[in-house]
Amino acid sequence: MAKVLVLAEISGDTVKSVTYEILGKLTGHDVDVAAVGEVPAAAVTELAKYGAANVHSIKGLDNYSPEGYTNALKEFIGSNYDFVFGGATSLGKDLLPRLAGAFEAGLASDVTNFVMDGDNFSGTRPMFSGKCLAKVEISGPKPHFVSIRPNALGMPEAPTAGAGATNEVTGNAGNIRAAIKEIIKGASEKLDLTEANIIVSGGRAMKSAENFKILEELADVLGATVGASRAAVDSGYAAPSMQVGQTGKTVAPTLYIACGISGAIQHLAGMRTSKVIVAINTDADAPIFTKADYGIVGDLFQIVPILKDELKKVLG
Amino acid sequence: MNIFVCIKQVPDTETKITPKADGSFIETTSIKWIMNPYDEFAVEQALLTKQANSGSTVTVVRVGGVKDTEALRTALAMGADEAILVEGDDNLDSFMTAKAIKGAIEKSGKTPDVVFTGKQAIDDDCLQVPQLVAQMMDLPHVSVVVECNEEGGKYTLKREIEGGAMEVYEVNAPVVIACNKGLNTPRYASLPGIMKAKRKPLTQHSLADVGVSEDDRRVKYSGFQLPPEKPAGKKFDAMEEANQASIVADVVKLLREEAKVI
Ligand SMILES: Cc1cc2nc3c(=O)[nH]c(=O)nc-3n(C[C@H](O)[C@H](O)[C@H](O)COP(=O)(O)OP(=O)(O)OC[C@H]3O[C@@H](n4cnc5c(N)ncnc54)[C@H](O)[C@@H]3O)c2cc1C
């Protein structure tokens, strides 16, 4: 049986849900979790519920830095694990390639599904912006690294609990040349698009930044994050960090609501792995309707407020 | 200053992708190739850095097929000074690509002060090469960079993280910088630029020349296939105000009871 380490990201008491998604998929394997920094007791309990045998917290590193985390984790991982999994989050995407490089090992990145049969990993990942899927396998020295796209596996329904023994490790960051001087808070306290479970997106049809308010209001009812098409970003209606698509963010929510978005191929590239798509568009022939599970042919300025009120009623 | 830029040639964003019959890769014969869109920001940043530091040279490095050197010519036409092509298959993995880039830079005899790359290639979407190049060359890196200021070899870089938040890094050269959209506005290649590009040096190496072999492959792709088509969705006409409330109520009910997503 493979020895697996799952790297978790924890802020406050909250563990990123992609960690639980990975743990759920690894039920039946020998799985530990490691996080840089403090792991609060509540998180340990939760991680154990999803199968963590040991929960290691790596202390002594302040801010994130790719070099510092790589050095400390390399030392910790050593030859103890066959596989190291992490989320394809903004930290995971930055760190995991560097860490894999430090072991001269392979990394299968942004995997959306996988099977672990004994010591054999076989994954699926979208390529060419999701225009096709490919099977991915890893060879070369161990440990093998895998990053998982958030929301792609889904939350496990009946995970097998692990022991959840805690362990503290002193990490050695080594020489950090690229160091964080400052962190500038984002405008939004909501989940990032890449991790959001529900996304409400607006396109060129929104006509102004001001009008995005109606999407914000709908998003608030749903606990959703607001996204945008490139046309909306280029027209200055939405921030660049909100862009979904080939040159924006790749998202995998369970629900994507596209308002006044035509569904250009580059936009679809970023959101086609959404589980359920709702489109609101005045043009009954808009390409977005070919991808939508539920299409509403109508004026978004009329439909969105009604939708908000209806959801408020239903969701209480 | 020795400025390096890594670029990749990728299928145009509009291209329809067709898997090969045996699923080993995609059909590459009738594809229109372009410079990876994120790499355009990297080339532009390299040129801006050169302008600010007289006596600098910009060397573009590409690992890929030889048939078509369009992306390299474009970079030269934009203003890069020389180009290096490492001939490789189209389906190399990130580890081989990064090792080839490292080998090509070393073979150039120039010690890099900065290496610019795009944050991601839009074909394999692996997001690995910049970090791997940095690790292999023992350099620091900063990825997803949306703001880059350089003074006397000291870089202040803004990197985009979740929710529109930014991390601000300070780092001394040499450094690997992976560029995101928004960093700058890439210039177009001018006609004189295109003419000049034809006379600029283009060095060619094989993978073996730069120390890369099949043993360096870490990740193997196979079974390329189109994603499963979704069954046609349900469409409702809500152009008439009178219907809107009941249609929206129906859709909400479907989201709850059929799709079970809310
Ligand atoms: C290299 C490259 C990369 C790109 N990357 C991206 C990317 O990452 N993301 C991205 O989104 N695009 C990207 N694009 C741009 C893409 O091709 C489209 O131009 C863009 O997605 C269009 O945005 P839109 O759907 O908001 O606007 P439009 O195509 O203008 O569509 C607006 C839609 O709104 C509808 N509408 C109008 N009024 C109303 C109303 N009152 N109520 C309801 N509907 C209404 C219209 O019927 C229309 O369908 C890229 C393009 C290129 C060339």
Side-chain angles (χ1 to χ4, degrees):
Chain A
M1 194 166 49
K3 277 218 68 159
V4 186
L5 182 70
V6 179
L7 298 175
E9 289 172 57
I10 302 176
S11 68
D13 272 349
T14 317
V15 180
K16 287 215 160 149
S17 56
V18 63
T19 307
Y20 299 125
E21 295 184 69
I22 299 169
L23 286 172
K25 194 82 182 163
L26 288 168
T27 287
H29 292 269
D30 189 359
V31 186
D32 284 359
V33 171
V36 178
E38 204 67 49
V39 185
V44 175
T45 312
E46 218 35 35
L47 288 164
K49 227 198 270 174
Y50 285 93
N54 296 289
V55 179
H56 306 279
S57 77
I58 299 168
K59 300 275 179 70
L61 281 73
D62 300 330
N63 274 332
Y64 169 69
S65 77
E67 291 165 283
Y69 272 42
T70 295
N71 294 335
L73 285 168
K74 185 175 182 213
E75 197 174 292
F76 169 72
I77 293 165
S79 55
N80 301 322
Y81 295 97
D82 302 309
F83 286 89
V84 177
F85 281 73
T89 58
S90 65
L91 184 144
K93 285 175 185 166
D94 192 52
L95 171 68
L96 288 169
R98 183 145 198 147
L99 185 57
F103 283 93
E104 301 199 358
L107 160 65
S109 43
D110 218 7
V111 166
T112 52
N113 202 1
F114 71 89
V115 266
M116 273 283 264
D117 181 7
D119 203 14
N120 281 323
F121 165 87
S122 167
T124 306
R125 62 185 304 270
M127 291 175 83
F128 299 90
S129 310
K131 287 179 198 168
C132 70
L133 300 174
K135 180 176 164 186
V136 54
E137 290 159 306
I138 311 169
S139 55
K142 289 273 175 88
H144 291 170
F145 287 81
V146 182
S147 74
I148 300 288
R149 182 179 291 185
N151 292 335
L153 300 175
M155 285 297 268
E157 272 164 26
T160 317
T166 55
N167 175 39
E168 280 191 18
V169 184
T170 308
N172 179 11
N175 177 27
I176 301 171
R177 291 159 296 183
I180 294 185
K181 201 182 68 169
E182 188 192 349
I183 296 174
I184 304 169
K185 279 203 142 197
S188 152
E189 295 292 305
K190 300 208 175 92
L191 270 184
D192 192 62
L193 285 171
T194 53
E195 292 169 44
N197 210 17
I198 303 181
I199 294 172
V200 177
S201 263
R204 194 196 312 272
M206 295 308 298
K207 289 208 196 85
S208 72
E210 181 71 10
N211 286 340
F212 261 79
K213 265 211 194 103
I214 63 167
L215 301 188
E216 294 285 354
E217 286 166 10
L218 174 59
D220 283 343
V221 177
L222 285 163
T225 301
V226 177
S229 74
R230 174 161 161 183
V233 171
D234 288 352
S235 309
Y237 310 159
S241 62
M242 291 163 72
Q243 184 179 319
V244 172
Q246 187 143 33
T247 49
K249 289 184 173 151
T250 305
V251 300
T254 49
L255 175 60
Y256 188 88
I257 305 179
C259 308
I261 294 178
S262 60
I265 191 161
Q266 296 93 349
H267 189 81
L268 297 176
M271 47 68 77
R272 67 199 305 157
T273 49
S274 306
K275 199 167 149 233
V276 172
I277 297 167
V278 173
I280 304 168
N281 199 307
T282 43
D283 175 6
D285 297 323
I288 189 83
F289 283 126
T290 64
K291 299 288 175 235
D293 298 274
Y294 305 106
I296 301 176
V297 183
D299 183 339
L300 77 94
F301 293 103
Q302 294 170 339
I303 304 295
V304 169
I306 303 175
L307 183 57
K308 181 194 73 183
D309 291 339
E310 183 65 26
L311 284 165
K312 236 190 209 157
K313 254 197 289 176
V314 174
L315 301 174
Chain B
M1 231 190 215
N2 295 325
I3 304 166
F4 283 85
V5 195
C6 308
I7 62 170
K8 189 168 189 182
Q9 194 162 291
V10 299
D12 184 86
T13 57
E14 296 278 353
T15 307
K16 188 168 176 290
I17 299 292
T18 318
K20 282 193 170 161
D22 65 358
S24 61
F25 197 55
I26 56 154
E27 293 292 354
T28 52
T29 37
S30 58
I31 280 177
K32 181 178 170 227
W33 300 94
I34 56 164
M35 188 192 298
N36 178 42
Y38 294 110
D39 300 351
E40 293 181 10
F41 303 110
V43 173
E44 178 63 29
Q45 202 59 36
L47 297 173
L48 293 173
T49 308
K50 175 184 161 162
Q51 280 163 14
N53 295 275
S54 60
S56 302
T57 55
V58 173
T59 309
V60 217
V61 185
R62 175 185 161 228
V63 183
V66 269
K67 311 173 281 291
D68 183 352
T69 52
E70 198 52 42
L72 283 176
R73 288 290 169 203
T74 305
L76 292 173
M78 284 168 76
D81 300 292
E82 46 189 289
I84 305 172
L85 171 68
V86 181
E87 291 170 40
D89 289 341
D90 293 311
N91 64 349
L92 298 181
D93 75 355
S94 305
F95 194 87
M96 296 169 97
T97 307
K99 195 169 172 192
I101 289 169
K102 173 183 188 256
I105 292 177
E106 282 170 0
K107 231 177 146 65
S108 76
K110 290 193 246 179
T111 310
D113 292 289
V114 58
V115 180
F116 291 103
T117 71
K119 72 146 187 173
Q120 155 178 20
I122 63 158
D123 52 357
D124 62 26
D125 292 315
C126 277
L127 294 109
Q128 296 189 22
V129 167
Q131 293 87 335
L132 282 171
V133 168
Q135 181 65 27
M136 287 175 184
M137 297 187 73
D138 190 22
L139 298 174
H141 83 263
V142 182
S143 70
V144 204
V145 169
V146 290
E147 219 178 288
C148 170
N149 289 300
E150 182 264 341
E151 231 187 288
K154 183 176 184 169
Y155 289 84
T156 306
L157 303 162
K158 267 193 199 164
R159 155 180 151 77
E160 195 187 304
I161 53 167
E162 288 103 338
M166 304 275 183
E167 291 172 347
V168 186
Y169 285 79
E170 252 178 21
V171 54
N172 290 312
V175 56
V176 177
I177 299 173
C179 306
N180 193 14
K181 187 182 171 218
L183 177 61
N184 52 43
T185 309
R187 68 196 69 188
Y188 287 103
S190 64
L191 193 59
I194 293 166
M195 297 313 290
K196 260 198 224 149
K198 294 190 174 138
R199 295 190 302 275
K200 288 182 178 173
L202 195 161
T203 313
Q204 231 165 281
H205 300 303
S206 66
L207 281 175
D209 289 343
V210 295
V212 176
S213 73
E214 199 49 39
D215 287 346
D216 292 308
R217 191 179 290 281
R218 296 288 184 269
V219 173
K220 199 177 135 245
Y221 301 107
S222 61
F224 283 79
Q225 58 177 79
L226 294 176
E229 274 302 322
K230 276 186 157 187
K234 298 187 170 129
K235 203 153 132 191
F236 306 90
D237 184 350
M239 292 304 281
E240 303 292 335
E241 250 182 281
N243 304 333
Q244 286 168 349
S246 71
I247 285 173
V248 169
D250 287 348
V251 170
V252 168
K253 198 160 174 231
L254 287 166
L255 287 175
R256 226 181 147 80
E257 290 168 12
E258 185 179 73
K260 299 192 171 68
V261 288
I262 54 168

